[in-house]
Amino acid sequence: MHLRKKIYIAILSVLAVSHAQAENKAEAIELKAVTVIGILPEKLESVPGSFNIVDEEELEARRPFSVKEALSNVAGINFVTSEDPMSLALNIGVRGNDPRRSARTLLLEDGMPLFLAPYGDPAAHYSTPLDRVQRIEVVKGSGQVLYGPQTVGGMINFVTKPVPKDGFAGSVSATVGNNDFTGLHANLGYGNERGGMMIDVLQKKGDGVRKNHEFDVQDFAIKGQLNLTDQHTLIAKASYYEEDSNVSETGLGVTEYARDKFQAPSGKNDTFEHERKSFQLQHIFQIADKVKLSTQAYYVDAWRSSFRQTDEPGGFSGANNSTGLTVLERCPQPAGTAFTEVQAANCGGRHRPRSYDYWGIEPRLDFSHNLFGIASDAVIGFRYHEEDIKREQYRGNTALFQNLSYAQDNSLPREKILIDVEAKSYYGQNTFYMGDWAVTPGIRVEDIKTKTDIQRADGNAHTNPQSKLTNKQTKVLPGFGVAWNGIDNTTIFAGVHKGFAPPRPSRDIFAKGANTAVAGETKPEESTNWEIGVRSKYVKGVSLESTLFHTKLDDIVINRGGGTYENAGETAMAGLELAGRVDFGTIYDTSHNVYVTASYTNMFTAEFKKTSPVASHGVVSGERLPYAPRHIASINLGYQHPVGVDARIGVDYISRQEPHPSQRVLAPVDAALSGLAGDIPSYSLLNASVSYKPADSKASYFISAHNLADKQYLVTRIDGMFAGRERQVFGGIRYDF
């Protein structure tokens, strides 16, 4: 909290001084408004690939409970919500990629990476709160060469709300719901032609999916904009995020899941804490009408720690001895009996504290030219990025070890790994305009150096030289796309690009006993992504998009069990995406609008192309990839009344899914009882929302329900069986001024 205040004071001081300097300049300067447009270009019709924009109007009308609901109408996206109560740790899979912690989907906020560490630990334990978001951009096509590194799937950019331009503005809202859910949000700002400032404060808390799983999230942000001259603009943003949740990362065995799908006897003790501080500074230099130099600098300081008391779902320990009942890891319990909250309260467990610091600077030049005798828009840029990661683990048998400070003061770490990453990225893209055609070649080069130092592993100190490794890799990632606009309000597009996901350093080395470390064989994932499609608003009141895609990964990285990973050879993912909206009010020129929105993904191919020589890894040629459902669909029927009512009801559908390969080849007893083996059955969820903003009123009212039928369903077996969220209904009021 003390550091956050310092950051805010520093930003206020900088903006105040800059504002004073600007006021001393000639008062006759005519200033131009600067609009932050996110990762998509201004000419959307020239984008040579599939994209989606969830705008502010859609977010206001739908009132999504989490990012999962906000993106449910976007084709090609699969969410797996496991231990997470509110999609705080996103699990997003794009076009058949494994959703686990969104590691193959690049997450951004105003173009700044959001992972714990984009290269060293691309795990999504944070996403921008929707209350701060103006719109969400989803990009799956060849335009990804401008961003990186996790681009084998797609990109999602959260564009935050801009600073007010016309005086004092803001909003306050309050939300309440079942499962003890409450939310408070305030946004206050002031601005004029010279710039302005905005403060955003948020708190949400409630009960999670399972019993004893409470969560409390706080988010504070301050954003300022200063228009120094008609050419120079500064935008600064600082934020502080804090999460304190009770979360059991281990699921349930078959027996206990059958008794109570939502039980978590160790839930009162299992915790997940996350503190994140970030700062982003953008300088926009409008050199000429069609030449702009944008430079962003960012810094993120994140710390997360989890404590768990169970690590063997259903008693599974890899020895064909599962009982269907989860075991307390650091505490004896009678064989064949379920442990209780009282036993858990008197036991220890394991802490996983990890800290992440990363920073980067990225100048980017956007300009129009006729260098080749053809009208063109070009982008060239460079990013320098550094990461400093510290991973530790502590274990203890007594209740005293439930306190992290006690564990750190009274024991040596079971694991201690230091990771440093230096990454340089170079990119360029040019769009040629030739009549109705827009042709866009591009290229990205990733130059990465990773230093890994295993100081302790398996409780032993490591002094072997092999425990310190330096890994260097350079990847050239081209892309090419074409868009044709020969039909009114219609774009036909096609493109191909190379995607890249570097291996996490924690997977590169496997500790093998005392004073020994062995270099792993894990190689980065590289993909070739093809697509062809059409988006159209040719018919009045009807918008449609259809995309056929094919993705080939050269050497996919899979979880082979026990927290280790390996390359599993080539995989192929192919499918058809359909999405659209029909507004009958627009078609029939009436203010009473009945509308239908729908999206559908048919992932007809998502399979391994190579059989692993190690049978226990479970990788078999032709078998389906994990968590890649064949069918994903969402359809909503809505009605908008001229008095300010927007009401909708809809269904989201996910077809059957397969677990990770190693979970498909467990020994018979483990397969039957651990909860790890078996498919994830299909399910459909009913959702509804109503919002009402009376004409000429500053107040709006809303109510939203997810899983309205209160369906009980299984969502994952990654660490045991996890049930999906029960019915969640919440409503509230928002006042704008």
Side-chain angles (χ1 to χ4, degrees):
M1 295 293 290
H2 184 58
L3 178 59
R4 182 174 77 251
K5 291 180 180 178
K6 287 185 176 180
I7 292 175
Y8 290 173
I9 292 172
I11 295 173
L12 288 168
S13 301
V14 170
L15 291 176
V17 172
S18 301
H19 183 72
Q21 293 174 343
E23 288 292 345
N24 290 330
K25 296 183 182 290
E27 295 182 0
I29 292 175
E30 182 179 347
L31 298 175
K32 298 180 180 180
V34 174
T35 302
V36 180
I37 61 173
I39 62 177
L40 288 169
E42 293 183 17
K43 299 178 180 178
L44 294 176
E45 69 278 3
S46 67
V47 176
S50 59
F51 69 86
N52 298 87
I53 298 175
V54 182
D55 59 22
E56 189 171 21
E57 182 180 354
E58 175 72 6
L59 292 172
E60 295 250 347
R62 186 162 185 148
R63 294 293 175 177
F65 184 69
S66 68
V67 176
K68 178 180 184 296
E69 288 79 27
L71 297 179
S72 63
N73 261 0
V74 177
I77 290 184
N78 180 33
F79 280 84
V80 174
T81 306
S82 53
E83 76 278 1
D84 176 18
M86 206 180 109
S87 296
L88 301 174
L90 294 179
N91 294 289
I92 302 175
V94 178
R95 293 181 171 175
N97 285 287
D98 190 343
R100 182 64 171 170
R101 297 290 183 255
S102 306
R104 293 183 180 91
T105 303
L106 180 62
L107 301 181
L108 304 167
E109 179 184 305
D110 295 331
M112 178 183 73
L114 287 182
F115 291 119
L116 289 173
Y119 291 86
D121 194 350
H125 281 285
Y126 168 85
S127 67
T128 310
L130 291 177
D131 305 76
R132 287 206 284 120
V133 171
Q134 184 186 46
R135 71 180 183 275
I136 305 173
E137 302 171 327
V138 181
V139 178
K140 293 168 281 186
S142 59
Q144 293 186 67
V145 297
L146 298 180
Y147 300 89
Q150 310 294 338
T151 53
V152 298
M155 300 185 300
I156 297 175
N157 183 42
F158 299 93
V159 181
T160 60
K161 295 178 180 179
V163 173
K165 298 179 181 179
D166 300 311
F168 184 66
S171 66
V172 292
S173 63
T175 310
V176 296
N178 65 320
N179 297 320
D180 290 331
F181 176 76
T182 59
L184 296 172
H185 175 248
N187 177 280
L188 306 172
Y190 177 83
N192 55 32
E193 71 278 1
R194 286 291 183 183
M197 185 173 295
M198 180 175 66
I199 297 175
D200 198 283
V201 181
L202 166 75
Q203 182 180 40
K204 291 185 178 181
K205 58 183 179 179
D207 294 337
V209 178
R210 297 166 67 183
K211 297 175 181 177
N212 300 322
H213 280 185
E214 298 178 350
F215 65 89
D216 189 345
V217 171
Q218 300 178 55
D219 186 87
F220 307 87
I222 183 170
K223 188 174 184 179
Q225 178 170 325
L226 181 59
N227 303 319
L228 294 167
T229 69
D230 61 341
Q231 291 181 293
H232 294 274
T233 299
L234 286 176
I235 301 175
K237 180 179 60 180
S239 67
Y240 175 85
Y241 171 85
E242 186 176 308
E243 175 189 349
D244 187 1
S245 300
N246 291 96
V247 172
S248 297
E249 295 182 83
T250 302
L252 301 175
V254 171
T255 303
E256 54 200 351
Y257 187 83
R259 293 175 180 173
D260 183 355
K261 296 176 175 61
F262 303 102
Q263 63 175 294
S266 61
K268 291 183 178 180
N269 309 317
D270 294 340
T271 59
F272 183 84
E273 299 174 89
H274 188 189
E275 185 179 45
R276 184 180 188 273
K277 313 176 190 75
S278 70
F279 175 71
Q280 184 179 18
L281 179 65
Q282 295 172 297
H283 174 251
I284 301 171
F285 179 19
Q286 194 71 45
I287 301 172
D289 285 343
K290 296 182 179 181
V291 183
K292 180 176 68 175
L293 175 64
S294 305
T295 303
Q296 78 158 334
Y298 56 84
Y299 171 74
V300 175
D301 175 10
W303 176 86
R304 54 131 291 184
S305 183
S306 63
F307 176 76
R308 67 166 72 175
Q309 293 188 298
T310 61
D311 203 36
E312 297 179 1
F316 173 75
S317 60
N320 201 24
N321 62 352
S322 297
T323 63
L325 301 171
T326 301
V327 176
L328 280 169
E329 180 188 6
R330 313 297 296 179
C331 189
Q333 67 188 79
T337 63
F339 71 90
T340 64
E341 291 184 23
V342 174
Q343 286 176 304
N346 295 317
C347 294
R350 64 171 70 182
H351 290 275
R352 289 186 174 93
R354 299 169 186 172
S355 61
Y356 305 86
D357 289 285
Y358 64 84
W359 67 275
I361 185 167
E362 180 176 8
R364 164 178 162 157
L365 183 66
D366 293 74
F367 60 99
S368 300
H369 65 92
N370 292 280
L371 183 62
F372 305 103
I374 303 173
S376 301
D377 286 334
V379 179
I380 57 173
F382 164 76
R383 184 182 70 193
Y384 181 83
H385 176 96
E386 283 191 7
E387 298 175 5
D388 183 7
I389 304 170
K390 180 181 179 181
R391 299 166 57 98
E392 292 184 309
Q393 183 180 146
Y394 295 87
R395 301 185 190 182
N397 295 339
T398 68
L400 293 172
F401 274 86
Q402 294 181 22
N403 182 279
L404 176 59
S405 297
Y406 178 88
Q408 292 175 321
D409 293 339
N410 293 275
S411 65
L412 292 171
R414 178 84 175 182
E415 170 188 285
K416 184 175 182 180
I417 303 176
L418 306 179
I419 302 168
D420 293 309
V421 179
E422 180 185 59
K424 302 170 186 175
S425 306
Y426 314 83
Y427 56 87
Q429 179 174 283
N430 193 89
T431 299
F432 298 93
Y433 300 103
M434 297 172 287
D436 294 325
W437 295 86
V439 180
T440 307
I443 192 168
R444 183 179 187 87
V445 178
E446 290 276 3
D447 186 9
I448 308 165
K449 181 172 69 174
T450 304
K451 295 181 179 179
T452 306
D453 180 8
I454 296 184
Q455 298 187 353
R456 293 184 67 84
D458 296 331
N460 302 301
H462 279 251
T463 58
N464 190 296
Q466 287 186 337
S467 65
K468 294 184 179 181
L469 289 183
T470 298
N471 181 286
K472 297 180 181 180
Q473 50 190 312
T474 300
K475 296 295 177 184
V476 179
L477 309 169
F480 182 81
V482 178
W484 181 69
N485 296 282
I487 303 173
D488 290 344
N489 300 314
T490 300
T491 300
I492 298 174
F493 58 87
V496 59
H497 76 276
K498 293 284 288 186
F500 172 65
R504 288 162 53 176
S506 57
R507 299 173 179 174
D508 286 341
I509 302 176
F510 304 107
K512 302 288 185 181
N515 300 318
T516 304
V518 178
E521 296 291 328
T522 310
K523 293 180 289 186
E525 293 177 322
E526 294 184 62
S527 66
T528 304
N529 303 59
W530 297 83
E531 67 174 6
I532 182 170
V534 58
R535 52 181 175 265
S536 177
K537 294 184 179 179
Y538 182 81
V539 177
K540 178 183 176 182
V542 179
S543 61
L544 297 170
E545 179 172 337
S546 176
T547 307
L548 184 68
F549 64 89
H550 180 273
T551 302
K552 180 178 74 71
L553 264 69
D554 293 335
D555 216 346
I556 192 172
V557 176
I558 65 161
N559 186 337
R560 65 180 185 182
T564 59
Y565 297 81
E566 71 166 355
N567 291 107
E570 183 181 323
T571 63
M573 294 163 282
L576 175 67
E577 297 172 348
L578 300 170
R581 174 170 175 140
V582 179
D583 288 278
F584 292 96
T586 302
I587 294 173
Y588 294 105
D589 294 317
T590 173
S591 58
H592 294 267
N593 181 35
V594 175
Y595 62 91
V596 177
T597 64
S599 66
Y600 170 67
T601 305
N602 184 344
M603 184 78 60
F604 46 76
T605 299
E607 62 185 22
F608 294 101
K609 307 298 281 188
K610 175 184 176 182
T611 298
S612 171
V614 183
S616 62
H617 295 174
V619 177
V620 177
S621 178
E623 289 291 321
R624 191 139 186 110
L625 295 175
Y627 298 96
R630 186 175 297 274
H631 304 285
I632 305 173
S634 177
I635 184 167
N636 292 270
L637 174 65
Y639 170 67
Q640 293 171 320
H641 191 281
V643 299
V645 172
D646 190 322
R648 70 175 67 190
I649 187 166
V651 177
D652 297 332
Y653 171 77
I654 302 290
S655 68
R656 172 185 171 276
Q657 302 173 76
E658 291 278 359
H660 284 106
S662 61
Q663 296 170 240
R664 307 176 198 177
V665 291
L666 298 178
V669 173
D670 295 326
L673 295 174
S674 66
L676 296 167
D679 66 4
I680 295 87
S682 63
Y683 57 88
S684 300
L685 302 179
L686 182 65
N687 307 305
S689 64
V690 179
S691 63
Y692 173 49
K693 186 172 185 178
D696 301 323
S697 173
K698 295 183 178 181
S700 57
Y701 311 86
F702 55 88
I703 184 169
S704 188
H706 304 282
N707 190 11
L708 188 58
D710 203 20
K711 182 181 181 63
Q712 294 188 1
Y713 59 104
L714 179 69
V715 289
T716 180
R717 294 180 181 269
I718 291 174
D719 291 305
M721 302 178 74
F722 284 88
R725 188 171 63 221
E726 298 175 282
R727 180 192 296 120
Q728 180 66 57
V729 181
F730 65 94
I733 182 173
R734 168 175 160 170
Y735 186 82
D736 296 282
F737 46 84

